[in-house]
Amino acid sequence: MRHLMSPLDFSVEELEELMNLAEDIRNNPGKYAHACEGKILATCFYEPSTRTRLSFESAMLRLGGQILGFASADSSSAAKGESVSDTIRVISGYADICAMRHPKEGAPMVAAARSGIPVINAGDGGHQHPTQTLTDLLTIHSLKGHLDNLTIGLCGDLKFGRTVHSLIKALVRYPNVKFIFISPQELTLPGYIRDDVLQKNNISFTEVRHLEEVMPELDLLYMTRVQRERFFNEEDYVRLKDFYILDKAKMKLAREDMLVLHPLPRVNEISVEVDDDPRAVYFKQAKYGVYIRMALIVTLLAMKEKEESSC
Ligand code: NCD
């Protein structure tokens, strides 16, 4: 059974197909309005979410399917001490596919091992967020026209930001992608991404403290929020939360065709005055998240059916 735990679970070719399907869905929504009739998506969210959960639900509803689920750990049996393994075994009898978010790294993988239905990792702690990455890839592919030959600046909380970890893993598979990491010393990339992903693949990267100095070089700027919920101490969060604020003055330093992405939610790291700049595409990006999740649900359910019919 195919699950989605990491963006690497799909080959570059499979990702290309998924993005083509998402584009077709975007251009011809009526064609897919009944694609998942009779199917149910479970959204099991043990951690807060707006975009990810609602875009999954919107995706399934737009495909003609139905949804059920919970939006917080305390509204599920986790509050009574039930394990994710037990929960997913039960959910497997109630739904055809499940999107799971959990504060513990690896929890969706534990669930997948016990599941009778495809499980999609909708974010596990500070680890991975593969469907945000699919959203980011579709946005870049659609607005830039390619995923190779790009200089990408990733700015903010690179230590705890799972969207950043997943995006780097996915992008190193495309030729001539260069990274510039912009973060305070305390929030630099985890060692395993630097060693196992970047150095292992001979990827060119630099690490800097100041956004201004690198703005003119960037094809893409991926801004992130400081991940308050992963900090051990509030004082550190308060000290670091406004380290970077992208404003009009900094945007003046950037190229005419540089795009600004952000997985959202934004706190203070992008000033609202940037929102009207045509290069600011984060709200468009959130919309692309529905199309790629529609494509993902259709694809995983088709793979499951194919497997069942060959048994
Ligand atoms: C991200 C997440 O949950 O990791 N949000 C999202 O899914 N769009 C980013 C964040 O919370 O900062």
Side-chain angles (χ1 to χ4, degrees):
M1 167 118 46
R2 289 289 292 266
H3 305 282
L4 180 71
M5 293 296 120
S6 147
L8 301 187
D9 291 347
F10 277 42
S11 67
V12 170
E13 294 71 30
E14 284 175 326
L15 282 184
E16 182 81 31
E17 275 173 35
L18 204 65
M19 286 190 280
N20 290 340
L21 178 58
E23 285 290 2
D24 197 43
I25 291 171
R26 185 163 77 94
N27 296 324
N28 308 290
K31 202 169 129 188
Y32 298 90
H34 304 284
C36 287
E37 231 157 47
K39 300 287 181 197
I40 298 174
L41 165 79
T43 50
C44 299
F45 277 58
Y46 296 84
E47 205 185 47
S49 168
T50 302
R51 261 150 302 276
T52 306
R53 187 171 60 83
L54 297 186
S55 66
F56 263 115
E57 296 187 353
S58 170
M60 193 51 159
L61 294 171
R62 285 175 193 271
L63 291 166
Q66 287 170 294
I67 53 169
L68 50 80
F70 52 86
S72 69
D74 37 302
S75 63
S76 79
S77 280
K80 299 181 188 167
E82 187 173 53
S83 67
V84 290
S85 307
D86 283 3
T87 305
I88 196 68
R89 288 176 85 167
V90 173
I91 301 276
S92 296
Y94 298 167
D96 301 284
I97 185 163
C98 171
M100 180 181 284
R101 169 170 288 192
H102 203 286
K104 280 209 184 113
E105 303 178 352
M109 190 159 332
V110 171
R114 280 293 181 177
S115 180
I117 57 175
V119 177
I120 301 166
N121 177 4
D124 61 328
H127 187 217
Q128 298 271 335
H129 194 342
T131 62
Q132 181 63 48
T133 297
L134 299 181
T135 302
D136 302 340
L137 295 180
L138 179 66
T139 308
I140 301 167
H141 192 269
S142 173
L143 300 179
K144 278 269 173 212
H146 54 97
L147 292 165
D148 53 2
N149 297 307
L150 290 169
T151 299
I152 301 160
L154 294 118
C155 178
D157 188 347
L158 309 185
K159 179 178 180 185
F160 297 116
R162 56 192 173 196
T163 59
V164 166
H165 306 158
S166 285
L167 185 58
I168 296 170
K169 278 192 161 188
L171 283 171
V172 297
R173 299 196 289 184
Y174 297 91
N176 196 26
V177 167
K178 296 192 190 97
F179 294 101
I180 301 182
F181 300 117
I182 309 131
S183 75
Q185 178 63 43
E186 292 94 328
L187 298 178
T188 53
L189 275 183
Y192 80 93
I193 298 278
R194 204 173 294 123
D195 301 342
D196 301 348
V197 183
L198 296 163
Q199 270 154 11
K200 210 175 185 173
N201 290 291
N202 278 324
I203 304 298
S204 152
F205 72 95
T206 49
E207 295 183 281
V208 300
R209 293 286 157 269
H210 301 290
L211 194 47
E212 291 86 338
E213 63 185 85
V214 296
M215 283 300 273
E217 291 174 53
L218 305 177
D219 296 308
L220 292 172
L221 173 60
Y222 194 92
M223 293 296 294
T224 61
R225 149 186 93 87
V226 175
Q227 305 280 298
R228 179 182 205 160
E229 64 277 36
R230 318 244 179 262
F231 274 68
F232 293 111
N233 122 22
E234 182 73 8
E235 253 168 58
D236 287 346
Y237 169 71
V238 170
R239 188 167 47 80
L240 295 168
K241 73 181 173 65
D242 294 331
F243 204 92
Y244 299 106
I245 298 181
L246 181 66
D247 55 14
K248 267 190 172 164
K250 291 195 190 81
M251 286 299 285
K252 282 209 178 104
L253 305 171
R255 289 198 204 138
E256 290 275 289
D257 63 347
M258 185 199 77
L259 298 180
V260 184
L261 282 82
H262 190 308
L264 303 178
R266 154 195 40 202
V267 188
N268 288 329
E269 59 281 353
I270 303 181
S271 163
V272 290
E273 67 184 24
V274 175
D275 295 358
D276 294 331
D277 190 309
R279 295 168 292 180
V281 297
Y282 27 90
F283 290 112
K284 208 178 243 182
Q285 182 185 356
K287 209 164 164 195
Y288 278 116
V290 177
Y291 306 124
I292 200 74
R293 289 183 174 99
M294 288 171 81
L296 179 65
I297 292 169
V298 167
T299 302
L300 286 175
L301 286 176
M303 284 172 168
K304 182 180 171 231
E305 254 162 47
K306 203 169 158 199
E307 207 169 89
E308 282 166 357
S309 66
S310 69
C311 287

